[in-house]
Amino acid sequence: MELPLALKLVYTGFLAVLVPVYWKAYGPGNFLWLCDVAVLGTGVALWLESPLLASMMLLATLPELGWNLDLFTRLLTGRHPIGMTAYMFDRTLPRHVRALSSFHIVLPVLLAWLVARWGYDPRAWPAQSVLTWGLLLASYALTRPADNINYAFGPGAKPQTRLSPRVYLLLVMAIIPLGYWPAHALLRWLVRPP
């Protein structure tokens, strides 16, 4: 079941725009976000036609559901229930930079389609868990607490102060993979293996 070349080329073209724009707007640390790794990993999955990578990236996009809820609730009601998309309404950010973040809407749909087409690889949960641990450790070690990449320093926009930063990081490293588990179990039940 080969993918259309046009899909691969369009997606690669999108990445060719997104990467330099995000690099300039946010800096290299921004590419440690799970969602940004997922958008890049999806490009690799498309070219390799890899069920494992597509399955991993689908698990990584679970927070996109919250992102979409936050965005569409803000558009309909004027309020952010979560606050994940406040930057989308920040007029100090150029409009084209904010528009590129619309990948959060399309990416889970694309990945769900790829997994439905190729099958769900059950190795995705442990592999994505290890990747997530690496990204959390890198976020903690290489970025500023004020940036709070992957919420490695706190559950919201600001670092938390109740727990030791390392204890908090270990909790996040345990919780995120556990959060992947229900989707992993559901996908194993619903979707045939590759």
Side-chain angles (χ1 to χ4, degrees), residues 5-23 26 30-31 35-44 46-47 64 67 87-88 95-108 110-111:
L5 179 61
L7 172 62
K8 296 175 182 180
L9 292 174
V10 167
Y11 195 90
T12 302
F14 170 72
L15 291 179
V17 172
L18 178 121
V19 169
V21 169
Y22 268 26
W23 190 284
Y26 300 120
N30 191 72
F31 292 98
C35 58
D36 289 332
V37 170
V39 80
L40 296 170
T42 299
V44 177
L46 285 169
W47 282 101
E64 308 302 319
W67 191 96
Y87 73 96
M88 291 293 284
R95 190 174 287 167
H96 70 282
V97 174
R98 291 180 283 153
L100 285 170
S101 282
S102 61
F103 79 79
H104 290 72
I105 300 166
V106 177
L107 189 61
L110 173 61
L111 286 164

Side-chain angles (χ1 to χ4, degrees), residues 54-111:
S55 299
M56 288 171 61
M57 297 306 103
L58 181 58
L59 292 178
T61 61
L62 290 176
E64 308 302 319
L65 302 175
W67 191 96
N68 281 286
L69 172 71
D70 198 58
L71 177 72
F72 289 109
T73 301
R74 168 62 170 81
L75 290 172
L76 294 171
T77 69
R79 297 177 191 263
H80 291 283
I82 304 170
M84 291 176 82
T85 61
Y87 73 96
M88 291 293 284
F89 301 91
D90 179 357
R91 293 176 190 242
T92 63
L93 282 174
R95 190 174 287 167
H96 70 282
V97 174
R98 291 180 283 153
L100 285 170
S101 282
S102 61
F103 79 79
H104 290 72
I105 300 166
V106 177
L107 189 61
V109 175
L110 173 61
L111 286 164

